[in-house]
């Protein structure tokens, strides 16, 4: 029996253990400690020196971003519909209303024209959105130049969900630095991992301090425990940060490897009728976190993304449909949305292929072989 081939599994470089051992040797196992600071500084160096707060997850980072922007009950927050539910859930944690906006075909991310229409409609009815959550899905940069221009014009702050896009950039500016706040994730399947964790990229030190304060139970300065606002237990631990420091040292290699995976799949599969891949637009650089392809059933001679997925599954190869858009999720059935059918079509025809930076060339050629068989 072959070992299972995963979509994206953790890939340690070996240096993580040295940092973790140091945490043990100094008995700095408690949250906070020198590795948290070191990891934050390392991230900050990748984020144009924006201050960064290391947190327990990307979801926690999104939640704190909304809190720091003052999102409250019954506020409206615009959110990209084509994403993982963690982009939208924190809006509901705040008692606010998510308003979903569909994607454009060329980046798969938020359609700027549709965004402008949504904001303008909301402003007309006196419901100026409190924030816009835009996502760089699968590592592909959204059209941040247009999106930030529109949001500045309407004075709506942008939260940039770069959970899948560490190492991606647009016109050489790193993803995570375009919005008022940027969100990173180090979950086990992301491009680098701390086993679980996230970070909030902040506009200045005051916001980063506030984020760290809220993430550590919001203790006022006093010898006893005193609280004036509601706090959270959202800080990253020193042990997780130790893993992150080792991982950050090899981020560029991880990006290179994932981009090679993409190039290989594109090269060896593009001739199959009905298959297409997502291209980078002018000035954009994707970390190619996951390689995704679409299969157009009208041109594939009956092959569908589901038939390919099931065929791979019999070979112990994990693949997965693209994200199911939020406006089609049962839990958000009552949420307002502006949809064009773009993300729904992507969901129906798209498949994510094994994309880990630890896959061997034999692994990759085995995936291709079993995909190609569907066309014979
Ligand atoms: C993974 C992910 C998150 C959440 O990050 P966690 O660290 O798992 O909480 C948020 N948004 C997107 C788009 C993600 O892929």
């Amino acid at each position: 029996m072959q070992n299972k081939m995963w979509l994206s599994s953790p890939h340690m470089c070996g240096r993580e253990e040295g940092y973790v051992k140091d945490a043990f040797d100094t008995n700095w196992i408690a949250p906070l400690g020198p590795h948290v600071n070191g990891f934050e500084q390392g991230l900050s160096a990748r984020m144009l020196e924006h201050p960064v707060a290391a947190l327990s997850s990307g979801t926690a980072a999104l939640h704190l971003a909304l809190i720091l922007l003052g999102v409250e009950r019954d506020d409206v927050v615009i959110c990209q519909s084509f994403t993982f539910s963690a982009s939208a859930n924190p809006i509901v944690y705040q008692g606010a209303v998510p308003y979903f906006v569909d994607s454009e075909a060329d980046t798969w991310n938020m359609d700027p024209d549709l965004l402008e229409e949504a904001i303008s409609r909301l402003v007309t009815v006196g419901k100026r959105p409190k924030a816009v959550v835009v996502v760089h899905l699968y590592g592909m940069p959204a059209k941040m130049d247009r999106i930030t221009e529109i949001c500045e014009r309407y004075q709506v702050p942008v939260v940039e969900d770069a959970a899948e896009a560490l190492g991606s950039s647009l016109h050489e500016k790193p993803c995570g630095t375009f919005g008022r706040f940027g969100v990173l994730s180090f979950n086990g399947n992301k491009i680098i991992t701390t086993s679980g964790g996230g970070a909030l990229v902040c506009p200045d030190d005051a916001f980063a301090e506030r984020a760290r304060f809220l993430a550590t139970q919001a203790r006022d300065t006093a010898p006893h425990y005193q609280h004036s606002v509601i706090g959270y237990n959202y800080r990253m631990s020193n042990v997780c940060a130790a893993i992150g420091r080792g991982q950050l040292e090899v981020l560029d290699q991880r990006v290179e490897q994932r981009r090679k995976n993409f190039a290989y799949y594109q090269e060896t599969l593009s001739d199959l009728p009905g298959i297409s891949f997502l291209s980078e637009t002018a000035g954009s650089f994707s970390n190619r976190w996951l390689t995704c392809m679409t299969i157009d059933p009208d041109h594939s001679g009956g092959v569908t993304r589901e038939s390919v997925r099931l065929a791979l599954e019999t070979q112990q190869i994990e693949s997965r449909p693209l994200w199911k858009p939020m406006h089609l999720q049962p839990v958000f059935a009552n949420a307002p949305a502006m949809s064009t059918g773009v993300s729904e079509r992507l969901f129906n025809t798209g498949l994510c292929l094994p994309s880990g930076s630890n896959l061997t060339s034999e692994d990759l050629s085995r995936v291709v072989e079993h995909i190609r068989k569907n066309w014979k």
Side-chain angles (χ1 to χ4, degrees):
M1 198 66 175
Q2 301 249 24
N3 282 338
K4 177 138 180 142
M5 199 191 306
W6 301 100
L7 202 62
S8 177
S9 69
H11 183 186
M12 296 294 122
C13 71
R15 292 217 275 274
E16 299 83 359
E17 274 179 87
Y19 287 111
V20 173
K21 184 172 183 304
D22 173 80
F24 274 74
D25 290 347
T26 55
N27 200 30
W28 229 312
I29 306 301
L32 303 188
H35 291 308
V36 175
N37 301 334
F39 188 44
E40 286 182 341
Q41 277 158 23
L43 289 169
S44 181
R46 308 260 342 185
M47 293 289 137
L48 304 177
E49 302 299 336
H50 283 263
V52 174
L55 301 170
S56 54
S57 70
T59 311
L62 278 152
H63 191 192
L64 289 183
L66 297 179
I67 292 168
L68 292 167
L69 290 173
V71 172
E72 291 174 352
R73 184 160 296 281
D74 298 330
D75 283 338
V76 176
V77 174
I78 290 180
C79 183
Q80 183 164 319
S81 185
F82 193 39
T83 186
F84 175 47
S85 63
S87 307
N89 286 338
I91 300 169
V92 180
Y93 302 165
Q94 286 305 96
V97 179
Y99 187 111
F100 293 113
V101 168
D102 213 332
S103 286
E104 54 177 2
D106 58 345
T107 66
W108 295 4
N109 293 310
M110 190 181 274
D111 180 331
D113 293 321
L114 213 55
L115 168 66
E116 174 151 25
E117 203 180 320
I119 299 180
S120 131
R121 274 193 201 180
L122 283 163
V123 166
T124 307
V125 299
K127 264 286 178 196
R128 179 185 302 276
K130 260 304 185 45
V132 170
V133 179
V134 57
V135 188
H136 307 294
L137 216 58
Y138 304 114
M140 183 61 69
K143 294 223 183 98
M144 292 314 293
D145 22 20
R146 287 211 54 210
I147 289 169
T148 50
E149 183 275 316
I150 292 162
C151 289
E152 270 166 31
R153 191 147 35 81
Y154 286 93
Q155 297 176 340
V156 183
V158 174
V159 175
E160 193 188 353
D161 182 347
E164 302 177 358
L166 182 60
S168 299
S169 59
L170 184 61
H171 304 301
E172 303 196 347
K173 192 169 145 72
C175 288
T177 63
F178 287 89
R180 178 81 61 87
F181 290 98
V183 168
L184 305 174
S185 167
F186 313 108
N187 194 10
N189 62 358
K190 297 285 160 47
I191 193 148
I192 62 169
T193 184
T194 58
S195 86
L200 186 63
V201 184
C202 297
D204 57 36
D205 287 322
F207 272 117
E209 270 316 305
R210 187 75 185 164
R212 294 183 190 115
F213 166 78
L214 292 171
T216 47
Q217 308 287 20
R219 272 187 74 187
D220 294 341
T221 326
H224 52 277
Y225 276 74
Q226 177 170 300
H227 308 273
S228 307
V229 294
I230 294 294
Y232 302 84
N233 185 0
Y234 277 174
R235 199 72 161 118
M236 178 178 281
S237 84
N238 200 47
V239 176
C240 290
I243 302 172
R245 290 183 82 179
Q247 287 271 284
L248 200 52
E249 290 177 10
V250 292
L251 172 60
D252 292 324
Q253 285 154 253
R254 297 296 184 257
V255 171
E256 199 182 311
Q257 195 55 49
R258 296 220 181 211
R259 286 178 61 88
K260 275 191 190 150
N261 293 344
F262 171 81
Y264 177 79
Y265 283 129
Q266 187 178 41
E267 216 171 272
T268 53
L269 292 170
S270 285
D271 63 305
L272 292 172
I275 282 197
S276 5
F277 291 90
L278 181 61
S279 304
E280 289 165 316
T281 56
S284 89
F285 177 88
S286 169
N287 67 7
R288 295 290 183 186
W289 171 56
L290 296 185
T291 290
C292 310
M293 63 178 191
T294 55
I295 304 172
D296 178 353
D298 295 336
H299 295 96
S300 63
V303 182
T304 63
R305 77 111 153 96
E306 198 51 17
S307 62
V308 172
R309 192 186 71 77
L310 292 170
L312 291 174
E313 196 170 76
T314 64
Q315 302 301 317
Q316 298 276 85
I317 297 170
E318 185 186 33
S319 65
R320 195 182 294 156
L322 300 189
W323 298 121
K324 181 172 183 173
M326 292 305 111
H327 72 276
L328 301 177
Q329 296 285 355
V331 70
F332 293 121
N334 296 321
M338 279 185 70
S339 64
T340 51
V342 169
S343 63
E344 183 166 6
R345 204 166 326 118
L346 288 167
F347 169 61
N348 286 328
T349 60
L351 192 67
C352 306
L353 302 179
S355 302
S357 46
N358 47 5
L359 295 174
T360 62
S361 47
E362 291 74 36
D363 289 334
L364 292 171
S365 67
R366 200 158 69 83
V367 177
V368 166
E369 176 199 340
H370 288 290
I371 292 173
R372 294 193 69 89
K373 275 185 183 162
N374 292 271
W375 269 262
K376 294 224 170 91

